[in-house]
Amino acid sequence: MNYTLHQLKIFLKVVQTQSITRASEELFMTQPAVSIQLKNFQDQFDLPLTEVIGRQLYVTEFGKEVAVIADRVIEELENINYKSQAFKGLLTGKLSISSASTGKYVIPYFLTGFLEKYRGVDLILDVTNKSLVIESLKKNEIDFALVSVLTDKIEVEQEILLENKLYLMGNSPVRDEKRPLIFREEGSATRIAMEQYLKSQEEVHRKRIELTSNEAVKQAVIAGIGDSIMPLIGVRNELLSHELHIIPALGLPVKSDWRLVWLKGKKLSVVSQAFLDYIRNEKQSLTQKYFDWYLSY
């Protein structure tokens, strides 16, 4: 056996993406370079690691077993680096957070100072749909999740960061009933809050448009395609430039809280505990520093 750490990482990325094309994109490599390294790695084994059926790449059962071991090897090698830093008196390790999509307007401001203080910490931040965030949390694949709506399917502990406010918005300050409402996709916390609000107001909207990101909704509203109930946190610049307007509506804003959550009873790593301590100590000053505009609404 004469494979390299580089080949292990490439093979793992191919397994994770089930695609040489996507693996090459995420590794910032060319497809031929990934294919060559994958072949060189495959040549070390008598059994196939992958197979192509039609135009789809599949990982064999043997390949899946190798991937599990490869992942463990890479993790242990990273731990060597963390240990060497720890012996120098530095806090080192990984911090993994999965955030609901609108959380991208919140969580970076609570991370900047921490990462500057502890430069030996590696951050993995995944911004995705709330349903996928909860799934990662349930599987204990992450240290923390950032969500605005708690789920009753799993027991968690939490630290509230910031109030979440949702307003009806359009490209003019007056609601035109002829314009449809634009919804987020199923599983989105914004979608859930919007549907609950409309139900509470006994409003029925048959004609609606569904988009899969807050940014897509925002651009559609600016273009005049429709109006939408949107999180205030992500539209500061558009409100200031008058591309968007808050439309007064009974029962709004809908309010919840952005909260950092982790599995109840989870033993936090040294890095995770340090981040939680940082949040608890600095939360008030960070909120005043970065979200003063937001608190005035």
Side-chain angles (χ1 to χ4, degrees):
M1 296 291 180
N2 189 28
Y3 41 79
T4 66
L5 178 61
H6 185 52
Q7 289 171 351
L8 287 178
K9 290 181 176 180
I10 290 173
F11 174 64
L12 271 180
K13 185 59 66 176
V14 170
V15 171
Q16 291 165 3
T17 61
Q18 299 275 296
S19 165
I20 290 177
T21 300
R22 289 200 297 274
S24 64
E25 291 172 352
E26 294 187 19
L27 291 168
F28 302 101
M29 296 174 62
T30 64
Q31 290 185 43
V34 170
S35 297
I36 290 170
Q37 292 300 323
L38 184 62
K39 181 183 182 302
N40 291 340
F41 186 60
Q42 171 65 78
D43 289 344
Q44 308 295 314
F45 305 95
D46 294 329
L47 297 173
L49 299 168
T50 62
E51 57 184 354
V52 177
I53 301 176
R55 303 182 71 175
Q56 177 63 47
L57 182 143
Y58 296 91
V59 182
T60 65
E61 287 302 314
F62 176 65
K64 292 176 183 178
E65 293 290 335
V66 173
V68 171
I69 297 171
D71 187 48
R72 194 159 61 237
V73 168
I74 292 172
E75 183 178 357
E76 289 302 320
L77 287 172
E78 289 176 344
N79 285 336
I80 292 175
N81 180 53
Y82 295 143
K83 288 292 184 183
S84 66
Q85 295 296 316
F87 271 88
K88 297 176 184 178
L90 301 174
L91 178 67
T92 61
K94 283 184 180 179
L95 176 65
S96 57
I97 301 173
S98 186
S99 170
S101 56
T102 312
K104 66 176 175 285
Y105 300 110
V106 178
I107 191 62
Y109 298 100
F110 290 92
L111 282 164
T112 302
F114 178 77
L115 295 174
E116 287 178 351
K117 183 177 182 180
Y118 301 111
R119 296 184 179 275
V121 171
D122 294 333
L123 171 68
I124 300 174
L125 176 60
D126 180 36
V127 179
T128 185
N129 178 280
K130 180 207 167 203
S131 298
L132 297 178
V133 172
I134 296 301
E135 190 64 26
S136 295
L137 187 66
K138 285 171 63 177
K139 293 179 179 179
N140 197 28
E141 295 174 342
I142 53 177
D143 298 315
F144 299 106
L146 182 69
V147 295
S148 60
V149 178
L150 287 174
T151 175
D152 56 4
K153 295 181 180 180
I154 50 176
E155 290 188 290
V156 298
E157 298 180 65
Q158 63 173 318
E159 183 70 26
I160 293 175
L161 301 185
L162 186 71
E163 188 175 53
N164 186 33
K165 308 172 190 177
L166 291 87
Y167 288 88
L168 178 62
M169 299 190 194
N171 66 352
S172 73
V174 180
R175 170 75 175 138
D176 182 350
E177 296 298 332
K178 294 180 181 179
R179 280 203 303 264
L181 286 179
I182 302 174
F183 286 70
R184 281 288 306 278
E185 79 282 7
E186 292 283 354
S188 161
T190 301
R191 167 72 169 263
I192 293 169
M194 187 170 176
E195 289 183 333
Q196 289 176 343
Y197 166 75
L198 294 175
K199 184 177 180 181
S200 72
Q201 300 300 310
E202 298 183 348
E203 293 190 32
V204 177
H205 295 266
R206 292 183 181 178
K207 185 180 179 181
R208 68 186 188 190
I209 299 168
E210 181 176 304
L211 300 176
T212 57
S213 74
N214 282 305
E215 190 61 31
V217 172
K218 180 167 65 176
Q219 295 304 322
V221 173
I222 291 173
I225 292 175
D227 299 329
S228 186
I229 294 176
M230 303 165 61
L232 175 65
I233 194 69
V235 297
R236 179 189 185 187
N237 292 335
E238 289 75 16
L239 290 174
L240 290 174
S241 64
H242 304 295
E243 293 177 280
L244 288 177
H245 299 267
I246 294 176
I247 302 172
L250 185 66
L252 291 176
V254 174
K255 295 183 179 181
S256 58
D257 291 297
W258 283 109
R259 61 196 79 211
L260 203 66
V261 302
W262 60 99
L263 289 176
K264 187 173 183 179
K266 177 180 175 67
K267 181 175 174 56
L268 297 178
S269 67
V270 174
V271 170
S272 298
Q273 187 62 57
F275 179 61
L276 187 57
D277 292 342
Y278 171 82
I279 290 294
R280 288 170 172 167
N281 292 331
E282 304 295 334
K283 178 171 60 175
Q284 186 174 354
S285 62
L286 292 173
T287 300
Q288 292 174 346
K289 179 178 180 180
Y290 294 113
F291 301 102
D292 186 58
W293 71 273
Y294 181 79
L295 301 176
S296 64
Y297 278 84

